[in-house]
Amino acid sequence: MTQLVLMVLSAQGMETALRIKAAYPGAAIYGLEGRVNGADQIYSNFGETLREHYRNGHAIAALCSAGITIRALAPILENKGAEPPVLAIADDGSAVVPLLGGTTGVNVLARQLSTILDVSPAITTSGELRFGTCLLNPPAEFHLKNPEDGKRFIADLLAGKTVRIDGPAPWLEEARLPVDENGAMHIRVTPFDVLPQKSELVFHPKVAVIGVAGNTSADDLKAALARAGIALASVVCLAISEEDSAKASFHLTAAELDLPLRILAAKENDATDIVSAFIKEPVSLSGNGNLAIAIAATPADVTLAGHRRGRLAVIGLGPGDPDFMIPAVKQELQRAEDILGYETYVRMAGTFRSDQIIHMTDNREEMQRARHAFELAASGRSVVMISSGDPGVFAMAAAVVEALHESDNPAWHGVDLQILPGVSAALAAASRSGAPLGHDFCILSLSDNLKPWDIIEKRIALAAEADFAMAFYNPISKPRPWQLPRAIEILRQHRGPETPIVLGRDIGRPAETLRVITLDDLTAEQVDMRTVILVGSSLTQSFDRTDGGKWVYTPRWYGTKPAH
Ligand code: SAH
């Protein structure tokens, strides 16, 4: 589905938008800066933001008057064929007015939104009212090839002409069209790539399945479709075996042709067998073991066998504050079907829908968690693995990539694996205090759970000797009481007592505290597991700020200060 954008200008509009979003979770709420709280995104210029969504083809519901919306879009209304659905909704939810996008489903959307808001949609398209269903907006398993002829076609029908229908068009049965075998107008439903004639609408039903195995390229596939005369819009999916799902070429081919990919768990690697899993009694079956095309009589005769390509996204939430979470991570959380993570982080990620499955895990056994995530994703699910901060910094991403490295399961290698970054604790704490990591720095974990303590000591000593600024993660815990005092001792052998130290605790969370002290004053008692310690280099400076705290920075130069 295309993304639905709710443009909100007022607090009342926000209430209505939230009612819509509760029933339509894919919607994204855009709120006017300074007027609206709790939106997914903030904008400052209504017209520009609206036009950008329009150009990107997003469905838009503006919670304001139709006039404001029309005036904002007027300068760019040229290409009727490409326009996305645009509606105006009264900010109190009392009226839903479809404005644009008759051929892209605005009336369908208007009905859905009206149902949510419990009002009647203000549908004004005469063809739509007269025929009871939108001829130009068939169900998803039919594609209108020539929407540009639609307006004229409906005008002719309204003027009294009759229409002949060829091919199964079940959605038109209740349309009260003026059907006549000898009609001057023509509706043709066919999987073949025919050229629409005058006074004709052509619909392609989704009835063809292409199976591929071996080394089949996008060009081979296009050539085979051309030979068979099949319209791409009639293809339900490109089907492959699980064995082949790790081959990037198939994913690229599917993406290039914009075809959904289906993966069959059975170990079939004969294309003809693959397509038979989708269509039991094809009206036509052509091809060979590498590439086969089967066609069913109607869309209802196609079984959607196998599963989609699964996705595993390893995401970083940032330190806590949702404003520090990158938009790609927010989108990933929306699309997730399964969410895996340590309870604290799952709670930090926000609220989930009832259809999203949450797998709370404990904080140990990372490899086991990683394998569980791959198993879910390899079955076609959209899985999100949550870390705080950045997933690649002492968190799950490394375990996930390692689990993949260790596996020779093609289904795991076929998963769409994405690692999405987040603001790591050191960077969040640094930004709160100025720029203590403004020059070369290194990040160290003081936990010796997964590495020997003598390596940690060696790294601290060498990093201190090399005069790096440092960030210490996992600085102390009950089972590891003596390690931090030892680390402080090593630091003191290399750095002066006045070296600035930043202690950032719960940064970006409600209990946030930030303290700037000196190395001389640093004791283990001031630190816990929720603290990140930033240690200055020999050049790191600190000075008073007006709010009583201190600024800290490490200059970009080294040695002698350059002349400005
Ligand atoms: N992936 C995380 C780090 C996980 S290790 C990241 O990139 O931030 C856990 C350690 O990170 C904690 O012991 C603490 O030292 C630090 N940490 C994580 N979140 C923090 C926060 N919000 N404030 C201060 N320190 C934090």
Side-chain angles (χ1 to χ4, degrees):
M1 195 194 299
T2 46
Q3 157 125 58
L4 171 63
V5 171
L6 301 169
M7 296 285 297
V8 180
L9 293 103
S10 64
Q12 177 148 55
M14 188 66 197
E15 276 174 33
T16 306
L18 287 171
R19 279 170 66 199
I20 294 173
K21 188 164 169 148
Y24 203 111
I29 302 182
Y30 281 68
L32 180 59
E33 195 174 6
R35 292 257 210 103
V36 174
N37 291 323
D40 300 317
Q41 303 280 341
I42 293 292
Y43 66 85
S44 52
N45 184 311
F46 178 76
E48 269 168 28
T49 313
L50 194 71
R51 289 188 287 275
E52 194 183 320
H53 287 305
Y54 182 88
R55 287 197 198 95
N56 290 335
H58 296 154
I60 303 167
L63 287 116
C64 60
S65 78
I68 296 178
T69 314
I70 291 167
R71 257 187 284 281
L73 287 176
I76 56 165
L77 296 180
E78 296 150 356
N79 182 355
K80 179 156 186 225
E83 79 192 9
V86 179
L87 308 95
I89 297 184
D91 68 358
D92 62 0
S94 62
V96 174
V97 188
L99 297 173
L100 297 167
T103 58
T104 48
V106 74
N107 290 333
V108 173
L109 189 58
R111 287 207 175 90
Q112 286 171 353
L113 296 178
S114 302
T115 309
I116 295 170
L117 297 173
D118 201 16
V119 293
S120 309
I123 290 180
T124 54
T125 1
S126 51
E128 161 95 1
L129 292 173
R130 168 85 177 253
F131 303 128
T133 182
C134 187
L135 182 59
L136 305 181
N137 190 41
E141 59 276 22
F142 294 88
H143 169 83
L144 174 56
K145 182 187 173 101
N146 52 331
E148 64 281 4
D149 298 330
K151 198 173 171 196
R152 180 73 209 267
F153 194 92
I154 289 186
D156 285 348
L157 288 182
L158 289 172
K161 291 197 177 162
T162 55
V163 59
R164 177 164 51 98
I165 302 180
D166 277 334
W171 83 101
L172 293 179
E173 276 161 20
E174 288 159 30
R176 303 195 303 276
L177 289 175
V179 177
D180 176 356
E181 266 176 33
N182 301 315
M185 317 289 295
H186 191 200
I187 289 174
R188 190 149 42 139
V189 184
T190 171
F192 295 105
D193 199 13
V194 294
L195 208 62
Q197 305 295 307
K198 194 168 171 292
S199 304
E200 179 179 67
L201 290 183
V202 173
F203 291 91
H204 292 309
K206 296 243 177 248
V207 288
V209 172
I210 309 176
V212 282
N215 290 322
T216 310
S217 71
D219 285 342
D220 295 340
L221 224 145
K222 279 189 239 169
L225 277 175
R227 268 198 308 278
I230 307 280
L232 199 55
S234 273
V235 181
V236 179
C237 64
L238 181 63
I240 61 175
S241 72
E242 204 160 68
E243 282 298 300
D244 276 341
S245 69
K247 290 185 184 158
S249 62
F250 288 132
H251 302 301
L252 293 173
T253 301
E256 189 185 326
L257 297 176
D258 202 14
L259 282 177
L261 194 77
R262 297 294 294 184
I263 298 171
L264 268 196
K267 291 220 154 92
E268 303 288 7
N269 40 21
D270 178 293
T272 314
D273 291 341
I274 292 175
V275 291
S276 323
F278 291 78
I279 300 175
K280 297 281 173 285
E281 290 171 9
V283 287
S284 130
L285 175 61
S286 58
N288 53 38
N290 282 337
L291 191 155
I293 304 178
I295 300 178
T298 71
D301 298 319
V302 181
T303 316
L304 208 53
H307 58 77
R308 283 180 301 154
R309 184 186 188 197
R311 180 173 170 103
L312 171 54
V314 190
I315 60 158
L317 299 176
D321 184 339
D323 282 350
F324 283 0
M325 196 191 287
I326 68 168
V329 163
K330 290 187 178 165
Q331 278 167 24
E332 206 63 53
L333 288 168
Q334 289 283 340
R335 98 188 246 177
E337 293 169 320
D338 292 277
I339 294 107
L340 278 79
Y342 182 46
E343 187 171 346
T344 319
Y345 302 152
V346 171
R347 289 194 198 291
M348 217 166 86
T351 48
F352 291 96
R353 299 189 303 270
S354 56
D355 61 309
Q356 296 181 299
I357 301 174
I358 295 172
H359 309 259
M360 299 282 194
T361 53
D362 69 39
N363 214 5
R364 319 234 154 220
E365 241 337 296
E366 293 190 343
M367 292 306 288
Q368 207 174 311
R369 260 195 282 165
R371 288 191 283 265
H372 182 203
F374 269 112
E375 258 148 34
L376 287 166
S379 72
R381 300 187 59 88
S382 207
V383 182
V384 160
M385 171 81 99
I386 297 181
S387 293
S388 79
D390 183 90
V393 179
F394 311 126
M396 282 307 295
V400 166
V401 182
E402 186 178 347
L404 184 62
H405 190 195
E406 282 175 356
S407 164
D408 54 11
N409 184 343
W412 286 24
H413 287 268
V415 163
D416 179 11
L417 174 62
Q418 304 285 334
I419 319 289
L420 300 183
V423 177
S424 193
L427 306 182
S431 69
R432 294 283 204 234
S433 57
L437 308 178
H439 201 55
D440 298 344
F441 69 94
C442 68
I443 292 183
L444 296 160
S445 166
L446 297 195
S447 165
D448 55 355
N449 287 341
L450 297 168
K451 63 184 166 180
W453 176 254
D454 54 345
I455 288 289
I456 301 177
E457 278 202 11
K458 186 172 170 186
R459 288 186 179 170
I460 298 172
L462 290 174
E465 187 185 329
D467 203 17
F468 282 109
M470 287 177 235
F472 292 160
Y473 285 56
N474 301 313
I476 197 164
S477 71
K478 280 216 185 77
R480 296 188 285 107
W482 56 265
Q483 284 86 338
L484 178 60
R486 176 71 194 122
I488 296 172
E489 233 174 85
I490 301 170
L491 287 176
R492 287 191 178 133
Q493 289 163 15
H494 297 269
R495 295 282 154 87
E498 293 306 312
T499 305
I501 301 284
V502 177
L503 300 178
R505 183 170 192 270
D506 278 336
I507 300 296
R509 303 176 191 170
E512 169 168 338
T513 59
L514 187 94
R515 269 185 299 168
V516 178
I517 57 170
T518 62
L519 182 54
D520 207 24
D521 290 336
L522 176 61
T523 59
E525 291 69 47
Q526 296 159 294
V527 175
D528 66 5
M529 255 321 248
R530 284 147 67 179
T531 310
V532 62
I533 307 179
L534 307 182
V535 180
S537 77
S538 66
L539 291 180
T540 303
Q541 307 288 314
S542 117
F543 61 98
D544 291 342
R545 54 200 267 178
T546 50
D547 64 4
K550 279 184 187 306
W551 287 115
V552 185
Y553 71 100
T554 303
R556 303 270 317 272
W557 46 270
Y558 202 85
T560 36
K561 183 173 176 142
H564 287 299

